[in-house]
Amino acid sequence: AQKVTQAQTEISVVEKEDVTLDCVYETRDTTYYLFWYKQPPSGELVFLIRRNSFDEQNEISGRYSWNFQKSTSSFNFTITASQVVDSAVYFCALSEIQGAQKLVFGQGTRLTINP
Amino acid sequence: GAVVSQHPSWVICKSGTSVKIECRSLDFQATTMFWYRQFPKQSLMLMATSNEGSKATYEQGVEKDKFLINHASLTLSTLTVTSAHPEDSSFYICSARGLAGAHEQYFGPGTRLTVT
C-alpha cells in the first residue's frame, strides 16, 4: 500500500527565513510520481511540482526547491527567503504511474510565515 | 488552459435532503475524474474514481448509495450526497485527468457543504 508521511504538522517562521517541509513516502511500485500542492485559505489546491521516480535530479523554481532522495524515500520541499504569501497548507502526494493514478496525500503541513 | 470548475462553491442544506455538486473540465476532455473529501484541518481523502460512461469505483468505506457519482460526459461529473446528515458536512474537491496517457490531474476549487 502507498503511504505519505508529513511529520511536521505545523511550522511557523519569520519572514525571510528559509524553511524545509519534509515528506517521506512508502510504495511497492518501482515507478511512481511524487507531487507537492499548496492549499491557501481559499481552499483551492495549487499544483507546485510533479517528479517522476526515475528522475532524481533536484529542481529549483524561483524561491522553491525540491530534494528527491530515492534512497531514503524522501521528497523534501524548501522555500528560500519565505514571504507572508507563502502561508498555506502544503501537501505531498504520491501516485502510481500506470492504472488509475490515484493520488495518496500526506497529512499536510500548515506553514505560517510571520511578518 | 486545464481549468476545472465546481458548482456550487458552497451550499447549506437541511438534514435528510440531497445535494448535487457538479465538476466540469472547461477546456479539456476528462476521461477520469476523482472526488475527494476534506474535513477541517485534515488531508484529502479519495472517495471515488469515475470514468466517463462507466460506474464509479469507490474507495473502501465510502457508501456508494449515499454518494452517487455520475460521469455522463467527458466534461462533467456529478456527486450527489443523498439524505445528507451533519456528519457529511465537509469540503468536497474534484479533480480531472485528460485523455488516455495524460498524467496531470487538475483540481477544482472545491465545494463546501454544510448540513444543518
Side-chain angles (χ1 to χ4, degrees):
Chain A
Q2 297 181 323
K3 184 179 179 182
V4 176
T5 301
Q6 294 178 254
Q8 304 150 309
T9 306
E10 295 189 27
I11 299 176
S12 181
V13 301
V14 177
E15 200 172 17
K16 296 183 184 177
E17 286 186 17
D18 298 347
V19 59
T20 297
L21 308 182
D22 297 333
C23 173
V24 175
Y25 62 92
E26 297 175 30
T27 181
R28 293 178 182 173
D29 294 335
T30 54
T31 57
Y32 45 88
Y33 286 128
L34 293 163
F35 302 80
W36 275 96
Y37 290 91
K38 174 182 180 180
Q39 188 177 41
S42 64
E44 184 164 0
L45 280 178
V46 177
F47 168 81
L48 296 178
I49 190 172
R50 182 187 74 193
R51 171 62 69 205
N52 193 309
S53 57
F54 54 75
D55 181 2
E56 288 194 65
Q57 275 195 331
N58 292 327
E59 181 151 344
I60 298 174
S61 176
R63 295 184 297 107
Y64 295 170
S65 62
W66 291 269
N67 182 269
F68 178 30
Q69 298 275 346
K70 204 168 180 179
S71 60
T72 56
S73 297
S74 65
F75 187 44
N76 297 336
F77 172 35
T78 297
I79 301 175
T80 302
S82 60
Q83 300 175 2
V84 173
V85 292
D86 296 327
S87 297
V89 180
Y90 290 86
F91 290 99
C92 181
L94 168 73
S95 84
E96 55 200 355
I97 288 182
Q98 302 297 327
Q101 296 179 24
K102 297 186 286 187
L103 281 169
V104 175
F105 285 86
Q107 302 91 319
T109 297
R110 182 174 299 276
L111 177 64
T112 301
I113 310 298
N114 298 298
Chain B
V3 177
V4 176
S5 70
Q6 281 185 242
H7 178 80
S9 54
W10 60 270
V11 57
I12 300 173
C13 70
K14 293 186 176 181
S15 284
T17 62
S18 296
V19 60
K20 180 185 285 187
I21 302 170
E22 292 185 349
C23 176
R24 291 182 185 273
S25 56
L26 298 185
D27 50 3
F28 68 102
Q29 293 183 320
T31 50
T32 305
M33 288 185 171
F34 303 88
W35 286 95
Y36 298 84
R37 180 168 55 183
Q38 185 180 29
F39 291 111
K41 295 192 176 184
Q42 294 189 23
S43 187
L44 283 78
M45 297 300 294
L46 180 65
M47 299 175 66
T49 303
S50 74
N51 291 296
E52 185 264 339
S54 61
K55 289 184 178 180
T57 302
Y58 291 81
E59 295 299 302
Q60 193 172 7
V62 177
E63 301 175 59
K64 61 180 181 180
D65 294 330
K66 180 168 186 59
F67 299 99
L68 302 179
I69 292 172
N70 184 278
H71 192 162
S73 77
L74 286 173
T75 59
L76 174 65
S77 176
T78 60
L79 166 67
T80 302
V81 183
T82 63
S83 186
H85 288 103
E87 57 265 30
D88 297 324
S89 299
S90 187
F91 192 52
Y92 292 88
I93 306 173
C94 74
S95 70
R97 196 177 75 212
L99 298 178
H103 299 291
E104 223 53 76
Q105 278 188 40
Y106 301 96
F107 283 84
T111 296
R112 191 163 301 282
L113 169 64
T114 301
V115 184
T116 61

